[in-house]
Amino acid sequence: MRFPLFSRRKAADAEPARHAPAVPPGQRVYAIGDIHGCADELRRLLERIEADHLARGPAQLTIILLGDLVNRGPASARAIGYAQELVEAGVGRLLKGNHEELFVLAARGDRQAARALLGMGGMATLASFGFTEDEIGRGSFADLAALLKTRIPRDMVDFLDAGEDKIAIGDYLFVHAGIRPGVPIAQQASADLRWIRAEFIGSQAEHGAMIVHGHTIGTTVDECENRIGIDTGAYRSGILTAIGLEGTERWFLDTAA
């Protein structure tokens, strides 16, 4: 994989114009929604990002993966490998999603996490690492956790565990799930950044940054005044989505035919 690189009012009554969120000059940022084991879609989207980046001319490139590389889809191991390549190439940054949190705990021998992993689409993930159904179903969850500890490559586990909680670039904040409304960004809890849903999605509060997130599936991009959701359910729709940002401009790329 190569990276060469609104209604009119009287002026007296008008509300102050909102500042258009921007990334710093000279930078171009792409963020990719929840991958969930869809490695083929990830590779296709990265090819589209590369072509788009080259067509737009020189800029410092950053590609952010919003987390949930694993579970549900068929090729989590390969998706992790692509993510590692991006980071090693110096253009990629990884957020740690709730599915990575469980996967890492299970792969380090946690029995309860191994059980939860299977309930969240982990069977497909383990199959992508070469586990058979018989191996997965044999014995207790403690036995399964011990097996994962010996068979899942440690470099992949460490890579996912090192994923960031949040990434701030200019006026944008990139997180996996969302933030707790009313809590300063610097004080956000990791659990909220990876797991929150209803309280964040339903909030119309000004968060102090434009939040770009995944975690909550939409049939299309969910673009609001205070947040942009780009999880389009790749594992069931086949559509993996990215947002592109440069200056105050934003655009979207996806794997739809």
Side-chain angles (χ1 to χ4, degrees):
M1 195 174 303
R2 298 175 299 107
F3 286 92
L5 353 275
F6 32 114
S7 65
R8 189 182 303 270
R9 289 182 173 185
K10 292 180 181 178
D13 298 329
E15 296 177 358
R18 279 180 175 264
H19 168 67
V23 298
Q27 295 192 36
R28 186 175 299 133
V29 180
Y30 297 86
I32 298 176
D34 299 29
I35 295 157
H36 279 306
C38 296
D40 290 341
E41 287 81 1
L42 174 58
R43 185 171 188 89
R44 192 155 67 247
L45 185 56
L46 288 173
E47 289 170 352
R48 293 184 181 181
I49 287 172
E50 180 181 23
D52 185 76
H53 174 60
L54 291 174
R56 290 175 182 271
Q60 179 184 329
L61 173 65
T62 301
I63 300 176
I64 298 172
L65 304 174
L66 293 182
D68 281 8
L69 274 64
V70 301
N71 294 346
R72 296 180 174 155
S76 289
R78 189 152 50 93
I80 297 169
Y82 289 159
Q84 287 178 303
E85 289 179 17
L86 272 180
V87 173
E88 288 167 5
V91 298
R93 295 179 70 175
L94 173 67
L95 288 167
K96 187 176 182 180
N98 58 313
H99 284 259
E100 278 79 45
E101 182 178 297
L102 280 178
F103 178 80
V104 167
L105 288 171
R108 288 186 171 159
D110 187 296
R111 172 181 60 85
Q112 305 246 9
R115 180 174 184 170
L117 186 71
L118 293 188
M120 294 179 66
M123 186 76 76
T125 300
L126 300 186
S128 77
F129 281 97
F131 289 86
T132 66
E133 287 189 24
D134 181 63
E135 287 177 310
I136 296 169
R138 186 189 309 146
S140 66
F141 287 113
D143 294 329
L144 176 59
L147 186 62
L148 302 189
K149 191 173 181 179
T150 62
R151 292 266 299 276
I152 303 291
R154 292 301 95 184
D155 69 308
M156 287 189 165
V157 176
D158 293 342
F159 171 72
L160 295 180
D161 195 28
E164 300 175 73
D165 283 341
K166 59 184 182 293
I167 297 170
I169 300 179
D171 299 317
Y172 287 88
L173 182 73
F174 302 85
V175 298
H176 172 64
I179 67 171
R180 175 74 56 183
V183 175
I185 288 172
Q187 297 174 25
Q188 292 286 328
S190 295
D192 284 331
L193 295 171
R194 295 176 194 154
W195 291 89
I196 200 168
R197 198 184 305 276
E199 303 95 323
F200 169 67
I201 296 299
S203 174
Q204 298 181 21
E206 171 62 53
H207 299 309
M210 175 61 81
I211 311 299
V212 178
H213 66 95
H215 189 62
T216 299
I217 295 175
T219 54
T220 60
V221 171
D222 187 10
E223 194 170 8
C224 304
E225 289 192 348
N226 61 354
R227 64 177 183 84
I228 305 170
I230 60 170
D231 181 1
T232 47
Y235 73 95
R236 68 189 191 195
S237 69
I239 300 173
L240 183 63
T241 298
I243 184 173
L245 302 166
E246 185 171 6
T248 58
E249 185 183 2
R250 76 172 70 128
W251 63 97
F252 301 95
L253 302 169
D254 62 42
T255 58

